[in-house]
Amino acid sequence: MQFEVWAPQARRVTLRCDDVTRVLERDPERAGWWWGEADAREGSRYGFALDDGRVLPDPRSRRQPDGPDGLSAVVDHERYPWRAQWRGRPLPGAVLYELHVGTYTPEGTLDAAAERLGHLVELGITHVQLMPLCPFPGTHGWGYEGVSLWAVHEPYGGPEALKRFVDRAHELGLGVVLDVVHNHFGPSGNYLPVFGPYLTDTHHTPWGAAVNLDAPGSDEVRAYLIGSALAWLRDYRIDGLRLDAVHALVDTRACHFLEELSTAVDALAAETDRPLFLVAESDLNDPRLITSRTEGGLGLHAQWNDDFHHTLHTTLTGESQGYYADFARAGLGGLAKTLTGGYFHDGSYSSFRERHHGRPLDRTRVAGHRLLGYGQTHDQIGNRAQGDRLSALVSPGLLACAATLILTAPFTPMLFMGEEWAAGTPWQFFTDHTDPELADAVRRGRRREFAAHGWKEEDVPDPQDPATRDRSCLDWSEPEREPHARMLAWYRRLLALRHEQPDLTDPDLADTKVAYDEERRWIAFRRGDVLVAVNLASEEAALPLGVPHARVLAAWEPVDRPGADGAVRLPGESAVVLLQE
């Protein structure tokens, strides 16, 4: 078997494979690369030593059986007997479900999560989005401090378990999306800087030195990241990638890294004859991210739309601190703006940033499915001091209103696990750092951060306490009892309507028409022949929809058809979906 590694600054590189040492040779055709052959098989442990130093794991390791600090293991991807005959599932018309493997079930494994996929099919989900799976120290964590970007966290089950998960999902008709982190590497167990200039001091990020996308040596770093992305899509048959915090990818080159990545993914989609897509997390409010390359954009297929979340969250909760301030002041007008224009900050002044932010999105050119709409995510829950979900902040009626707005809006909807039954469990920030100093630094930093906002230190959960993770696991007995069962039935009905009514997946953003009354706290919008009305006030309201002939498709509380005047009387904290006849 041939082994190779990029180590441009090394004078000597040796391979240790199954207790046998081989000296590698320089590759005469690729600067900085070393290669050599050794007897190896599935599971063989190996690593590289630079200049007779410590044996380190392979930067392109496919498996880390003993965690990020251990030796790598050989993986033969051809050995897995795929069962599903899968032709893919595209993003238009999709409904995503964000899932954290470590807390979706008490077992916290991919195999245990696969046993619960039938729930998502019954719910009406089309794609399950897995939070990051790359190896990280310890057993439990969010996954955003992973290393070995080609490998699967061993406590989750490793490579074979991920293939079993994807295979089962595809058998059930579910696509699989994977969250990947290219904007920084984990602080523990990360040996990439020993091998080469994977980081650069040319730019700085919240995590320190930036990933090297434009400094000397960046050609190979970009190839490393793109190779990892393609490996998930090819070797594990994953259908799409969610790209974490792309605004932190600092790249001054003429061809941006994201453009190069989207080009490579589109080429792989053509080669495999199945739809593949990239979804960016970005706070730039820059439509060029999701504009095609032929039109001068970067060619990503979709992006998270935090502006929709912020307007919805502030409307429901009244919270106005920090970056919520502008959205809270805008009220229902802000929510209406995002429903029709995608972005709230589209060149407007952002008081949180103390500058103007964003640029307008051309509704005639950007399809609605290219924006993901959601009311909760791992970030928006887990980065609260106590990890409290929306269900801990507002009434069941307002939760039903939120679900209605999310699942009938002109965006691609995304749910966070447990949201569909108003889970009573929190989802808190937890880590399992094996380095005592790093663990203590994270603990102190978390408490210091929230103390600045008035929280007592003892009220902020300890990320390193195993109980913090345990509290965050879903309680699968909840969907079987009230009030959770009623909420789950409401989500199922709304998702069924989304799949039944073509107007609800119409990609034309410009076709959404919105009306609202700030004082009386109601908002309504129309998508083709489907009308959606939400009353956020506690008292009943008569909404002048102007549609005398319409039938009720779904209602949180009993609602009569509109009267002759075209108005519908909607109970407080309730929602209705109507179809014009």
Side-chain angles (χ1 to χ4, degrees):
M1 177 178 177
Q2 181 169 306
F3 292 84
E4 58 182 19
V5 66
W6 182 59
Q9 297 162 350
R11 297 182 300 276
R12 171 183 164 91
V13 178
T14 55
L15 165 71
R16 183 69 177 269
C17 181
D18 288 341
D19 297 326
V20 176
T21 300
R22 295 278 190 276
V23 177
L24 300 187
E25 301 177 7
R26 292 183 184 272
D27 189 325
E29 299 181 359
R30 295 187 299 167
W33 281 87
W34 301 74
W35 73 278
E37 294 186 351
D39 291 334
R41 61 191 183 282
E42 171 78 17
S44 289
R45 304 295 182 90
Y46 73 97
F48 300 105
L50 277 58
D51 298 327
D52 299 320
R54 174 186 168 188
V55 178
L56 301 175
D58 182 359
R60 287 169 169 75
S61 170
R62 270 63 170 182
R63 186 181 176 201
Q64 289 297 120
D66 302 312
D69 293 308
L71 290 178
S72 302
V74 172
V75 173
D76 180 3
H77 284 299
E78 300 300 320
R79 294 175 72 248
Y80 182 81
W82 292 96
R83 301 183 305 270
Q85 300 299 312
W86 181 248
R87 300 311 309 159
R89 193 158 189 174
L91 184 63
V95 180
L96 275 63
Y97 186 94
E98 189 181 23
L99 184 158
H100 177 261
V101 170
T103 50
Y104 187 60
T105 66
E107 297 87 348
T109 65
L110 284 156
D111 285 331
E115 292 297 317
R116 294 283 185 178
L117 289 178
H119 165 77
L120 303 185
V121 176
E122 295 175 3
L123 180 60
I125 299 300
T126 66
H127 293 75
V128 54
Q129 178 178 297
L130 299 174
M131 287 175 61
L133 299 179
C134 292
F136 54 85
T139 301
H140 297 297
W142 281 19
Y144 292 94
E145 294 184 342
V147 296
S148 297
L149 300 193
W150 303 55
V152 179
H153 191 49
E154 201 70 17
Y156 288 166
E160 290 287 300
L162 177 57
K163 291 174 184 175
R164 291 192 296 269
F165 180 94
V166 173
D167 217 2
R168 181 57 180 154
H170 287 171
E171 286 181 323
L172 294 172
L174 293 168
V176 180
V177 181
L178 177 63
D179 196 337
V180 297
V181 183
H182 292 159
N183 54 71
H184 71 287
F185 305 120
S188 180
N190 173 29
Y191 301 103
L192 289 177
V194 178
F195 284 90
Y198 284 87
L199 299 174
T200 175
D201 289 327
T202 304
H203 313 292
H204 290 272
T205 73
W207 305 280
V211 175
N212 181 15
L213 299 176
D214 58 4
S218 58
D219 285 355
E220 292 292 352
V221 179
R222 292 161 76 109
Y224 172 80
L225 297 175
I226 292 171
S228 167
L230 297 180
W232 296 117
L233 300 171
R234 181 186 59 247
D235 299 335
Y236 293 94
R237 301 192 179 184
I238 282 171
D239 301 281
L241 302 176
R242 183 260 190 188
L243 309 176
D244 183 59
V246 301
H247 47 269
L249 296 171
V250 187
D251 183 6
T252 60
R253 290 166 61 158
C255 181
H256 195 280
F257 166 74
L258 292 175
E259 180 180 353
E260 189 176 344
L261 175 61
S262 71
T263 300
V265 169
D266 286 349
L268 182 61
E271 176 188 330
T272 58
D273 192 28
R274 61 187 178 95
L276 303 172
F277 55 85
L278 298 170
V279 180
E281 180 200 15
S282 171
D283 73 354
L284 298 174
N285 285 17
D286 186 350
R288 288 175 292 190
L289 279 174
I290 51 177
T291 298
S292 69
R293 296 185 299 276
T294 58
E295 296 182 37
L298 298 183
L300 302 183
H301 306 92
Q303 69 155 98
W304 280 25
N305 186 7
D306 271 354
D307 280 15
F308 174 71
H309 168 274
H310 297 346
T311 57
L312 178 59
H313 185 87
T314 56
T315 297
L316 295 171
T317 67
E319 293 184 358
S320 60
Q321 71 276 17
Y323 55 72
Y324 285 144
D326 294 339
F327 303 94
R329 278 193 294 269
L332 287 175
L335 184 56
K337 181 177 181 179
T338 60
L339 284 169
T340 56
Y343 300 146
F344 175 82
H345 281 304
D346 54 3
S348 59
Y349 185 78
S350 166
S351 62
F352 177 72
R353 297 175 178 85
E354 297 184 343
R355 60 171 175 79
H356 286 76
H357 183 68
R359 64 187 299 163
L361 182 151
D362 186 345
R363 297 188 301 157
T364 66
R365 299 173 65 186
V366 177
H369 74 263
R370 295 191 181 278
L371 298 174
L372 267 61
Y374 39 85
Q376 302 180 70
T377 70
H378 75 274
D379 269 332
Q380 299 301 337
I381 300 172
N383 283 327
R384 298 174 68 88
Q386 295 186 324
D388 40 345
R389 294 170 177 264
L390 197 56
S391 56
L393 306 175
V394 302
S395 68
L398 290 180
L399 288 177
C401 292
T404 307
L405 291 167
I406 294 163
L407 296 177
T408 60
F411 314 127
T412 295
M414 185 182 74
L415 309 181
F416 181 71
M417 62 178 198
E419 171 187 342
E420 69 275 20
W421 71 71
T425 51
W427 201 74
Q428 299 176 336
F429 179 72
F430 51 89
T431 57
D432 192 18
H433 290 299
T434 53
D435 180 341
E437 291 187 6
L438 180 57
D440 189 56
V442 170
R443 181 186 297 113
R444 287 185 288 104
R446 184 81 174 172
R447 290 173 173 169
R448 185 167 54 247
E449 174 187 356
F450 286 104
H453 296 285
W455 289 86
K456 296 180 181 179
E457 284 196 8
E458 58 269 24
D459 292 336
V460 180
D462 179 358
Q464 285 287 122
D465 185 348
T468 304
R469 175 265 171 183
D470 294 344
R471 282 191 298 270
S472 301
C473 291
L474 289 179
D475 178 356
W476 282 93
S477 71
E478 287 186 337
E480 301 172 1
R481 61 180 190 267
E482 298 297 350
H484 308 287
R486 183 187 180 195
M487 189 64 67
L488 178 57
W490 181 241
Y491 270 83
R492 285 175 174 167
R493 178 60 185 142
L494 291 172
L495 282 167
L497 284 179
R498 187 171 187 90
H499 296 309
E500 293 166 6
Q501 298 294 329
D503 286 337
L504 290 179
T505 52
D506 184 347
D508 187 0
L509 273 174
D511 192 46
T512 302
K513 306 295 189 297
V514 181
Y516 64 94
D517 187 316
E518 192 76 58
E519 183 177 352
R520 298 173 66 200
R521 298 278 292 160
W522 62 260
I523 185 168
F525 59 90
R526 178 171 184 157
R527 302 190 61 203
D529 290 331
V530 176
L531 294 95
V532 180
V534 170
N535 180 10
L536 302 172
S538 57
E539 64 277 357
E540 182 180 88
L543 280 61
L545 301 182
V547 183
H549 303 292
R551 61 184 174 94
V552 175
L553 295 177
W556 175 248
E557 299 286 359
V559 175
D560 293 330
R561 295 167 65 107
D565 58 357
V568 63
R569 303 194 70 82
L570 192 57
E573 297 187 351
S574 186
V576 64
V577 182
L578 303 150
L579 181 67
Q580 184 175 358
E581 295 178 324

